[in-house]
Amino acid sequence: MAQHYYSKDPISASNERSIDYVININGSAQRYSFITDSGVFSISRVDHGTDILLNAILKDEPQAPNRLLDIGCGYGPIGAVLGTAFPEAHVHMVDVNERAMDLARRNAQKAKLKDFTVETVDNLPALLQDPANAFQMVVTNPPIRAGKAVVYGIFQQAFDHLTSGGALYVVIRKNQGGPSAIKELERLFGNCEIIDREAGFHILKSIKE
């Protein structure tokens, strides 16, 4: 049976490595050394889409969230960077891949995040029971290869967990469903803006009204 980075329990042998990543936050270069492993997404470098997404969010200069949700966190680069940029925020990272979640916890600790949680995406619905658990920002680099139903399910989860006025940021390739993703976000949120585009990637932003 084929294994993918969106599989729950990767069967590939562990082969941990460290990768370096640098991004400008608040006018200074922030350096990270992320632990990655086989069976997770983009093990040899922070993928270009994630890099474009992070830079677009920081350039957009959103109001600092109290609670931030990263859906499909992988080994945690989005959560680590945004947790650094918004140090007072609680960073909540979710995934289906057990190996990725373990790496995300370790990378959040290495990045010295003060307040974070990493858990399975299956636990997200329980948060809806308390309005205090709503998020002001949701970010995702969705697993396109998992199929449109999974990706659109992530969009729905984002909508459900955002507070009024909260923002969803998405990175998606134009030739891998970008136009249809825009239509789906417009259907859900009533709005969708392309805030950046580079190398075939579109960074989409929707606000929950």
Side-chain angles (χ1 to χ4, degrees), residues 61-129:
E61 296 183 345
Q63 183 175 350
N66 295 322
R67 289 173 54 80
L68 183 156
L69 173 62
D70 175 10
I71 303 179
C73 65
Y75 54 81
I78 291 175
V81 170
L82 295 182
T84 303
F86 307 115
E88 301 306 315
H90 171 75
V91 178
H92 200 94
M93 294 178 270
V94 298
D95 207 293
V96 298
N97 184 319
E98 297 285 353
R99 186 176 294 175
M101 286 186 282
D102 176 66
L103 293 169
R105 292 184 190 98
R106 294 160 63 189
N107 285 323
Q109 291 168 347
K110 288 188 68 178
K112 296 181 171 57
L113 297 196
K114 296 192 300 182
D115 187 6
F116 71 91
T117 303
V118 182
E119 64 178 2
T120 175
V121 71
D122 293 341
N123 290 344
L124 266 186
L127 294 180
L128 294 174
Q129 298 175 18

Side-chain angles (χ1 to χ4, degrees), residues 4-24:
H4 308 278
Y5 61 85
Y6 46 86
S7 297
K8 181 178 180 179
D9 297 303
I11 59 174
S12 54
S14 177
N15 182 25
E16 289 191 1
R17 67 184 76 178
S18 292
I19 60 170
D20 295 326
Y21 180 63
V22 182
I23 188 169
N24 189 294

Side-chain angles (χ1 to χ4, degrees), residues 191-207:
N191 63 87
C192 180
E193 177 186 4
I194 301 174
I195 64 168
D196 200 2
R197 61 186 86 202
E198 181 182 328
F201 290 97
H202 283 181
I203 307 302
L204 311 179
K205 178 183 179 182
S206 291
I207 303 292

Side-chain angles (χ1 to χ4, degrees), residues 167-178:
L168 166 65
Y169 292 91
V170 179
V171 58
I172 193 164
R173 282 186 180 271
K174 180 180 179 181
N175 64 357
Q176 291 184 335

